[in-house]
Amino acid sequence: MEEGKQGVMVAAQNPIAQLQARFKDLENGFRAWLAKQSLPVEAAVVTATSAAQGAAIGAFMGTLTNDATSAFPTPPPQANLNPQAMASFKQAQALAGGPLVQARNFAVMTGVNAGISCVMKRIRGKEDVQSSMVAAFGSGAMFSLVSGMGGQNQAANVISSGLFFALIQGGIFQIGQKFSQPPAEDVFYSRTRSMLKNLGLQDYEKNFKKGLLTDRTLPLLTDRWTQGLERRGGCS
């Protein structure tokens, strides 16, 4: 008994568990408060918080790729580069920038995506693949604008980046939905399993599950017939 009480006291005094519980309470309270706000307030708060998280992630990623920026030296102003080469150079800088550049890029992508998703969910009342793709299109377009990708043909690159982001996120959303949905219930198997259980023939359930019981009339047995068998002491 004393050891059990000590274990309970140690679990109750665990600082990590207490910190997780407090964080969960704060998160639930924040979500409850946010759900009561108007659409502009909710969208602004969601965008700001998501952008801050994205900036932190981008800054961390930028520290890992900071050495890669030395491989893309800035060309001198008097260098005459053709537009295609300059666009490729800007794309390389956008994808391999330092902590500040990556923090800006990730903040824009995550903030815009979360903000549009929030607005779409509040307006449409649901979160589906269409809303996800619209949010991804906006984040991709804004990423293209702030990163300076596209060169002189910036409008076309904004659209292509948005479409690329939308297709990728739409595919990820569909895959996630497919794996998150529970498998469809086999009505015939459920009915037959219940019948075998009522008859005290649970051992036959394994055969039925493996497809060895193929008589399709089994699920059609009525409760009256089953009760008759029970009164007669089972079946031969």
Side-chain angles (χ1 to χ4, degrees), residues 183-196 208 215-221:
E185 183 181 6
D186 189 345
V187 178
F188 289 105
Y189 169 68
S190 300
R191 292 178 179 176
T192 308
R193 179 178 60 182
S194 177
M195 183 205 68
L196 294 175
F208 182 78
D215 189 355
R216 294 183 176 273
T217 63
L218 288 177
L220 301 178
L221 297 176

Side-chain angles (χ1 to χ4, degrees), residues 60-132:
F60 174 75
M61 296 295 294
T63 58
L64 301 178
T65 60
N66 194 21
D67 296 335
T69 58
S70 60
F72 306 103
T74 304
Q78 64 274 15
N80 294 324
L81 297 179
N82 59 63
Q84 185 176 2
M86 183 59 70
S88 300
F89 175 75
K90 288 184 178 181
Q91 290 178 357
Q93 279 188 327
L95 298 176
L100 294 179
V101 174
Q102 294 298 334
R104 177 201 64 190
N105 294 342
F106 275 80
V108 170
M109 286 190 295
T110 57
V112 173
N113 192 301
I116 297 177
S117 296
C118 175
V119 174
M120 294 292 292
K121 184 177 181 180
R122 177 72 76 90
I123 294 176
R124 304 181 70 230
K126 60 181 179 179
E127 186 176 0
D128 53 8
V129 64
Q130 287 83 3
S131 299
S132 179

